[in-house]
Every structure is written in structure tokens, then in C-alpha cells.
Amino acid sequence: MRVLLSTYGSRGDVEPLVALAVRLRERGAEVRMCVPPDEEFAERLAGIGVRPVPVGPSVRSLARGTALPSAADLSRTRDALVEAQFALLPAAVEGCDVLVAAGLAQIAARSVAEAAGVRYVYVSYAAVHLPSPHHAPPPRPGWPEPEVDDHRARWERDAEHVNTQFAEALNRHRAALGLPPVESVRDHVLTDRPWLAADPALGPWPRTPGLDVVQTGTWSLPDERPLPADLVAFLEAGDPPVYVGFGSANAPQDLVRHTVEALRAQGHRALVSRGWADLGLIDDRDDCFALGEVNHQRLFRQVAAVVHHGGAGTTATAARAGAPQVVVPAAISDNLYWADRVADLGIGTALDGPVPDTGSLGAAFRTALAPQTRARAATLGAEVRSDGAAVAADLLLDAAR
């Protein structure tokens, strides 16, 4: 069996497909993967024996600075990505039995699969990306927020925005492939049977007419890497610290300063992850430690709480470790959704606004570090599964048989 996996985004978009690729290869499948051209993704795939197919512009180049690109720049990037997908995916899918596409940015994938006679599977990493009257669509950078409150109406406006951006290009390419036009680009990409790679205990799918969602659980791999010796020494030198990290988000240094000040006011130490924003310490006091890429699965079991931006992967890893969470969500994608889930489940708290002040962070830490929150986080951690990628791999292979 040959499988093409395709996504576009930061590490949080790529890593779940890496997990699926590993599980597929363990079962004898051949895997190729379309990813952004950034060197770190090529190195990651080389490490698991998967051939990368670079598609689209560098994601790191888009993430530079502390602000998102302008609406016009985002629109041009999206248009260029569609053209790149139609140019490169046909060769990548040749000889494959199935194409698995992750994320709404995969506009060309279903059409390429259809033209090649290849099965197509769409996967989302959060329920909020799939239309349902139970929740509103997530904010999409560069597109205006609908000025309506009803969830159904907001999803209708969302579909209109997707059509405005992509319909002409998609149907032009479909015509060139001898395929009929589509009316709703978003629903065409999602299909009526999308997969949801999120844990049912953490982010369940609310049953919705018209969508037969297959929820597999989060796609992740066990990480056995040891922690660096200097980090271990810091952990052993005092009480468990609070981890502060924002991954690939455009987090400002002021957020680190306010966070560390709030933690110090309550007598807590801090770990500051540099991330893509290259965050650093605010001074040279010995109650803080700066770190780069480390094993979060191992580290989160040794911290008092995890402060993060609301990414699906970080939320799931912290939840599985039983660590309380403080989410400072960026107003994009699924970050707000995961912030709400953490608060609703009582395993932490969420803050409004991209740069909360020391006072609001202090209140959030009092909630997150309270005994009852720690107890709920530990209880939920025992329920979060780790076999989602294996479940998905078996589903793909069973369908092929």
C-alpha cells in the first residue's frame, strides 16, 4: 500500500502526520509526505525514512515578527499555495492508493486524488474546524469576522469567504483535469465523512447531521528522549517550575515578562521555551531557565503547570501528562477552541487577549495551581489515549483490503 500525506503549516500541523507515517510504515505501507519547504521538516521526515515533497512557501518566513501578515499578503500566499499544489501533487500521488490531507489549506488535494482515481481522506485536528451548529467557525486570518451570532449563519458566511478566495482557481484547475465544478469549496475539501484526530475526552465531536465524523484520537508518538542535563539540574534544584512556551505563535517578549513577574509574585520558578519567536529570559536570576527543543512528554510530567498558546498538540500533551494549563490563545485557527476546552473541563484556565497583564496572569495561576484543578487535570490525564495514529493507520489499511 502506498500513501500520500499532505499538509501545510507549522510543526503542529506536520507532527500528527509524522505519527501516522510511522504507524503506516510499521504496517508495511510506503509513505510520501507533502510539507512546507522548511529545512526542519525535511530533517524530521528523513529521520523516519519518509520522502518529503516540498510544497508552498516557507512557513517560518510567514511567521517572522510579532504580527500576522496583512490580509493582502495572506491572500496572495493562499493563491500561490493552490497553484503549487496543483503543480506538484499529481506527481506525488502517482502510484498511491490513498491521499490523506490535513487542514483546509489543502484545496487541491481532493481534486488531484479524484483525477488520479485515488481514495481521499480529509482530517482535522480539532472539532471546531468542522461545521456544526454546536460551535462557531474559528477565526481565519485575513478574512473578516461574520457580524452575526448564530452559529449556522456564521458557517454560511465562512463558506462564502472560502469560495471567494478559492472557487475560481479550484474550478479552473478541475476543468483542466476534466472534472466538474464544485459549488462549495469548503464542503468539497472536508467531504461528508471527515476524520477527527483529537481525543474524545479532550475535544469530542458534537454529533451533527450531515457529517459522519470518524474520531480516531490524537495522532502522536511516544517520545523517549532524555532531558538535557542542565535542565534536569534546574528541575531538581527546587519545586516544580511552570513551563511557558508558545511554539510557532508570534508571541511578544512582553508576554514572557508579565508571566514571569506573575509567577515570581506567587513564589514559582519558570521554564521559558524559546520557540519560533526566539523568546528569552527577562533577567539573569536563577529562578528561570531558558530551553530550546526538548521532550515535552517527559518534561510536562515534571512541571507545576503549562502556559501555552492553545495549539492542539501542546494541549493534548499537557492533558495526557496531567499538568494544569494556562492558555493565552492567539485569535487564530483552533487556539480559542482549545482554550475554551481547557477552561470547560476544569483542567486549567484561559485568558482573553494576546498580551494579558501581570494581574490577570496572577489570577489565572491561582486557579490553575489550585488543588482541585490539579486533581481534575490528573483524572483527565488518565483518560487521554495515545493510540490515535495506530487507529488511523489500521482504518486506512482495512479500507485498502
Side-chain angles (χ1 to χ4, degrees):
M1 180 180 180
R2 296 182 179 89
V3 182
L4 176 64
L5 309 178
S6 184
T7 192
Y8 184 82
S10 64
R11 181 177 177 182
D13 299 282
V14 174
E15 280 297 320
L17 289 188
V18 168
L20 178 60
V22 169
R23 297 306 181 216
L24 285 168
R25 282 173 53 80
E26 289 174 349
R27 289 155 174 76
E30 177 185 321
V31 181
R32 306 167 192 164
M33 192 183 304
C34 296
V35 292
D38 302 80
E39 183 178 351
E40 64 191 87
F41 299 137
E43 292 176 352
R44 182 72 173 104
L45 296 190
I48 62 168
V50 170
R51 179 169 69 87
V53 180
V55 178
S58 162
V59 171
R60 269 195 182 266
S61 67
L62 297 175
R64 288 182 184 140
T66 57
L68 288 168
S70 68
D73 286 341
L74 285 168
S75 181
R76 284 190 291 269
T77 298
R78 288 171 173 140
D79 288 342
L81 183 57
V82 172
E83 298 303 318
Q85 289 171 357
F86 274 109
L88 298 170
L89 263 62
V93 82
E94 187 174 347
C96 290
D97 302 289
V98 60
L99 192 165
V100 179
L104 184 59
Q106 299 298 297
I107 298 298
R110 185 177 180 181
S111 298
V112 170
E114 187 179 347
V118 171
R119 183 184 174 214
Y120 169 80
V121 174
Y122 176 84
V123 61
S124 173
Y125 302 146
V128 73
H129 290 297
L130 303 175
S132 171
H134 300 287
H135 53 245
R140 304 199 193 277
W143 294 349
E145 280 293 288
E147 296 179 357
V148 290
D149 293 328
D150 179 73
H151 290 342
R152 288 183 175 87
R154 289 175 69 89
W155 278 110
E156 290 174 2
R157 298 286 178 84
D158 179 74
E160 292 170 3
H161 290 322
V162 177
N163 272 1
T164 299
Q165 175 80 60
F166 298 116
E168 186 281 327
L170 174 61
N171 284 325
R172 171 168 45 84
H173 282 287
R174 285 181 62 83
L177 294 171
L179 302 174
V182 299
E183 293 185 2
S184 172
V185 175
R186 186 197 66 202
D187 295 346
H188 163 80
V189 171
L190 300 184
T191 78
D192 58 4
R193 197 168 191 265
W195 289 13
L196 176 58
D199 192 88
L202 188 59
W205 171 247
R207 189 172 297 277
T208 299
L211 280 184
D212 181 19
V213 173
V214 178
Q215 187 159 15
T216 63
T218 304
W219 296 355
S220 62
L221 294 171
D223 192 345
E224 302 299 334
R225 292 175 298 163
L227 297 176
D230 54 350
L231 173 56
V232 172
F234 179 81
L235 292 170
E236 293 176 347
D239 292 333
V242 172
Y243 170 92
V244 182
F246 302 98
S248 58
N250 296 311
Q253 183 67 35
D254 277 353
L255 179 53
V256 174
R257 178 172 59 82
H258 290 312
T259 303
V260 170
E261 289 173 351
L263 288 171
R264 282 174 170 168
Q266 297 181 30
H268 298 293
R269 303 188 302 155
L271 294 170
V272 177
S273 176
R274 298 193 181 280
W276 280 18
D278 196 25
L279 302 174
L281 303 179
I282 63 173
D283 54 38
D284 58 359
R285 288 172 57 176
D286 62 5
D287 60 349
C288 294
F289 184 93
L291 64 156
E293 165 60 24
V294 299
N295 181 343
H296 284 175
Q297 293 177 21
R298 190 181 297 272
L299 176 62
F300 288 179
R301 294 196 294 266
Q302 302 182 53
V303 300
V306 175
V307 182
H308 63 96
H309 65 297
T314 307
T315 304
T317 302
R320 190 179 296 118
Q325 304 181 46
V326 175
V327 186
V328 186
I332 58 173
S333 189
D334 55 356
N335 293 175
L336 293 169
Y337 167 79
W338 290 116
D340 288 342
R341 291 301 302 153
V342 165
D344 291 345
L345 289 165
I347 60 173
T349 188
L351 289 163
D352 293 328
V355 188
D357 58 23
T358 303
S360 60
L361 281 161
F365 290 134
R366 283 189 288 273
T367 298
L369 296 169
Q372 60 267 31
T373 307
R374 291 200 298 269
R376 282 192 291 267
T379 299
L380 182 75
E383 299 175 9
V384 177
R385 297 169 51 181
S386 59
D387 63 344
V391 170
D394 287 338
L395 286 173
L396 289 171
L397 291 170
D398 289 345
R401 298 189 187 102

